[in-house]
Amino acid sequence: MSDEMTDEQKEAFVAKLRREVGSTGTPTVARDPVNQPMIRHWCDAMEDANPLYTDPGAASQGPHGEVAAPPAMLNAWTMIGLVPRINDPKDPASGVYAMLDEAGYVGVVATNSEHVYHRYLKLGDHLTGTVKLVDVSEEKQTALGIGHFVTTETEYLDQNGGHVGSMFFRILKFRPGTGRTASSGDDTANERPPRPRPSRNQDTDFFWQGSRVGELRIQKCLNCGYLQHPPGTRCPACGSTDMGYVVASGKGTLYSYVVSHHPRVPSFDYPLNIGLVELEEGVRLVTNITDCDADQLKVGMPLQAWHMQTHEDVSIPVFRPARAPRNPSTLTFDEVSVGDELPLCPIPLTPTLIVSTAIASRDYQDVHHDRDMALKKGSEDIFMNILTSSGLSARYISDWAGPDAVFKNLKIRLGAPNYPYDCMTMSGSVTAKRESDGEDIVEVSFRGQNSRGPHVTGTVELALARK
Amino acid sequence: MSLNYAYHSAIAGIGATPFTKDSGRTPMDQAVEACLAACEDAGLPPEKINGMVTYSAEQNPEIEVARNLGIDELTHFSMVHHGGGAACGVVAVACQAIYSGAADYVLCYRAFNERSWHRFGAGVQDRPAGAEASEVSFSWSSPFGLVTPASWVAMFATRYMHEYGATTEDFGRVSVVDRDFAATNPYAHFFQRPITLEDHQNSRWIVEPLRLLDCCQETDGAQALLVTTAERAKDLKQKPAVIASAAQGVAEDQHMMRSYYRETITGIPEMGLCARQLYQSSGLSADDIQTAIIYDHFTPLVLPQLEEFGFCERGEAKDFIRDGHLGRDGRLPINTNGGQLGEAYIHGLNGIAEGVRQIRGTSVNQIDNVENVLATAGTAVPTSALILSQPR
């Protein structure tokens, strides 16, 4: 173990790790050519509905003239898969990983991925990837643990030897249990007293019973149909006492809001976003706006309800930004201005999302699907793999820009891990516009933030048509 | 509603304890001191008092205050609901009692250690959950952390800013005016401590869009008013401040501090109801008011009050304020005692006392040629307002 190493031993260890820096490994030939089933699986898991990836009719009208693979899949094609078929002892990157494993740096997280796309991949393209070891860092203390960053660069060639893209990739190999946050974690959250319990009686029980089963129930007069919140005992419109409820769609807009800083009640996180939401059914209610920074709150923003469990037998309806609908037409270069903001997009992190996207990207690392193994390797739970962070970022950008926007590159950096049951909210803005090699390029900077902080930050360059 | 008691009664005496942050005394002791001071100010022996009116959140029962004052018999006693919203309501009820003949001399008072004993601004976070309607009403806000008066008001403020283009600087200008008057009032907590708009903008967030300097103080202290008929008041020691009118108001779909479900939430319809009643019964209008005590527990709700009383059009209070109309040389100097941000927060009753001084001509920040003074009570709750006038 490296903490037992002397400085000289450490130096020698790093030198050994770095011996192969600059070397390339054996080219990896993709097991299958670019194919529709893998694309479809990816699109399903990422919830990417761009028809250019799956619909030959729509794709024939698009910029590629035929079905293309989602560009963010670039490194999925040559992933080694569940049963590694290539075991090259001379592969420099694999060799470094093995040495680090042996020395106790068994934890692994990817931290950077930078794709450059020379062209989109078509069905039948057969990729070969060649990995070059670019750098091994000194030993570093990180939030996750003590470890080394390993950087590689992969060139992707097609069946004709043509360059289709490249990837700059960095991972951290770390020793579990040596992180700065190793012992703190969620202790304070566990000690937090529960929120004030809603008082309820016969007149209001229906509301809380609804929230417990995931329904947002609004009192409705069964005589005249008048809706009201908070509930009463008699219809103010017609005087009927025959009161029932409707289940609201959960869609609403932010009518007003506050951000509470002081005094701090121990049951809440501060700053605390509290909103007054107007439901599409017409009534308003006080609630929390989750998965959104205070400075992202705007009167009028679209919201979607979800139900937060606060006690064993109580859930309360709260709201997060609504996912903007996919843009079915494509923005033109002229329609976009520097400073334009992309709509917020929440991505609830279900275990299904994390596991299905890992498998769809052919990433069978156990930390992305096996909780016991993830815990053993120093993680709090299974966590999202970096291909998915790329894939979801690409989906977010493409849903805004439209199906015909052409990705030129996609560069991301990872921070806080995406664990299950959290929510990552994407945000972004246009940061540059330029002409380059005869193409009209728009640069977008984006961020995906979960409850722990930014999970992903990145930039993407898109080529957009003029007109 | 013709408010037949218009011009019938007057405030004949005012009395207060020092306003502090730690009185070191019981609120009862302070209530008695303030009531005695009001009697003394009027030159009326306390045993003449036969009516007492206070308002909810008061923890000093009138029977105990009466016992300490040496009052043997009370023929009117009442508690007006809704805390600071009843500041002028207690005077309205005193007028009603006097006009009906139920009482001759009525004391209205407020006493508490709202800073040293418990922090009023902490809100309802410790309120137990029960099944009564008053408890259930908090279920629509407390589980979400909307538990403090500042947060309840802030929700109105954000929407007001959105609809009318007001900014936090406009709120700050109210604060600057209050502190400017407080700076020259030796009785004010913030005596000789004026602030600039920059100070306001640099003060920390309490509940966005409210900063620390948008929020009134928490105070230990007591204030009392002595009300009797305008006729009897003439025989007492001070120039009477005639109560031209005093009114209460609850408007459609009213909730305690959280009337968020109305078609629009940028106005204060219950205050508009008070304004209509006051103007109608007194025959006065906004043009007849020289200075006003505009309830300022939190600065943002000062703006719609100016609109409800017709000092400016709806949505234009920000312009009225930017033009400097609330300050010393403005069209409508407000809160000349320093208000509840600058002097003390005695749930509005100290402001009414300042209105009395403006009528008497004894304010430390006396406005010239005062004929009529408007005073308003707590906003967002069921509320009240009154107009004080020179004796005829």
Side-chain angles (χ1 to χ4, degrees), chain A residues 195-201 204 207-208 229-231 255-263 265 268 272 274-276 284 286-288 299 316-317, chain B residues 125 129-131 135-136 139-148 151 154-155 158-159 162-163 204-208 255 260-265:
Chain A
R195 289 178 170 222
R197 203 181 165 83
S199 307
R200 52 206 275 185
N201 59 24
T204 67
F207 182 91
W208 302 107
H229 183 84
Y255 189 79
S256 190
Y257 63 88
V258 307
V259 181
S260 187
H261 295 263
H262 188 81
V265 182
F268 297 93
L272 175 65
I274 309 169
L276 179 62
R284 292 183 208 131
V286 171
T287 182
N288 293 113
V299 171
I316 61 173
Chain B
Q125 52 183 284
E135 296 160 321
V136 165
S139 295
W140 311 116
S141 46
S142 291
F144 308 97
L146 196 77
V147 295
T148 62
S151 68
M155 194 67 86
T158 302
R159 186 70 197 182
H162 173 76
E163 287 194 21
R204 65 188 166 100
W205 290 122
I206 299 300
V207 181
E208 293 177 54
H255 296 258
Y260 299 147
Y261 313 100
R262 296 165 166 167
E263 193 173 344
T264 171
I265 62 168

Side-chain angles (χ1 to χ4, degrees), chain A residues 211-249:
Chain A
S211 200
R212 193 72 198 90
V213 298
E215 291 182 358
L216 176 54
R217 295 178 181 171
I218 300 301
Q219 191 176 52
K220 178 184 182 179
C221 170
L222 296 178
N223 182 49
C224 74
Y226 183 81
L227 299 183
Q228 70 169 347
H229 183 84
T233 61
R234 181 172 176 275
C235 175
C238 76
S240 169
T241 53
D242 195 9
M243 307 301 275
Y245 63 82
V246 289
V247 177
S249 69

Side-chain angles (χ1 to χ4, degrees), chain B residues 179-332:
Chain B
R179 293 288 295 269
D180 179 54
F181 284 124
T184 51
N185 173 10
Y187 219 68
H189 177 71
F190 286 111
F191 177 52
Q192 294 178 336
R193 281 187 282 169
I195 58 165
T196 63
L197 193 53
E198 199 183 357
D199 295 331
H200 170 271
Q201 290 288 304
N202 289 334
S203 68
R204 65 188 166 100
W205 290 122
I206 299 300
V207 181
E208 293 177 54
L210 269 63
R211 301 173 192 278
L212 177 66
L213 292 179
D214 290 306
C215 303
C216 68
Q217 310 174 53
E218 295 162 303
T219 304
D220 289 3
Q223 175 77 56
L225 310 172
L226 173 55
V227 184
T228 186
T229 64
E231 275 310 301
R232 285 194 202 96
K234 281 182 187 164
D235 302 331
L236 295 173
K237 213 163 89 186
Q238 305 286 354
K239 174 158 92 169
V242 173
I243 301 160
S245 193
Q248 292 181 275
V250 160
E252 177 252 336
D253 203 12
Q254 178 91 55
H255 296 258
M256 199 289 287
M257 296 295 286
R258 291 150 298 150
S259 301
Y260 299 147
Y261 313 100
R262 296 165 166 167
E263 193 173 344
T264 171
I265 62 168
T266 50
I268 312 178
E270 53 276 11
M271 193 61 91
L273 176 58
C274 292
R276 288 203 306 279
Q277 296 179 81
L278 291 185
Y279 288 157
Q280 207 168 26
S281 57
S282 68
L284 300 171
S285 72
D287 289 342
D288 300 312
I289 311 287
Q290 288 78 38
T291 180
I293 306 298
I294 304 294
Y295 202 91
D296 56 348
H297 49 3
F298 302 101
T299 58
L301 290 184
V302 168
L303 280 71
Q305 291 188 75
L306 297 170
E307 296 162 11
E308 295 291 352
F309 277 95
F311 294 108
C312 55
E313 294 297 313
R314 212 165 275 287
E316 291 180 3
K318 64 179 191 304
D319 309 300
F320 189 78
I321 292 172
R322 286 173 198 172
D323 290 344
H325 287 314
L326 303 184
R328 287 177 191 269
D329 302 315
R331 149 73 185 90
L332 185 76

Side-chain angles (χ1 to χ4, degrees), chain B residues 10-43:
Chain B
I11 298 176
I14 55 176
T17 62
F19 303 139
T20 72
K21 296 296 174 191
D22 185 3
S23 67
R25 311 160 56 185
T26 63
M28 175 58 72
D29 189 34
Q30 296 172 84
V32 170
E33 178 185 324
C35 287
L36 274 177
C39 294
E40 201 167 301
D41 180 56

Side-chain angles (χ1 to χ4, degrees), chain A residues 103-114:
Chain A
Y105 302 90
V106 296
V108 59
V109 288
T111 61
N112 298 71
S113 161
E114 299 186 1

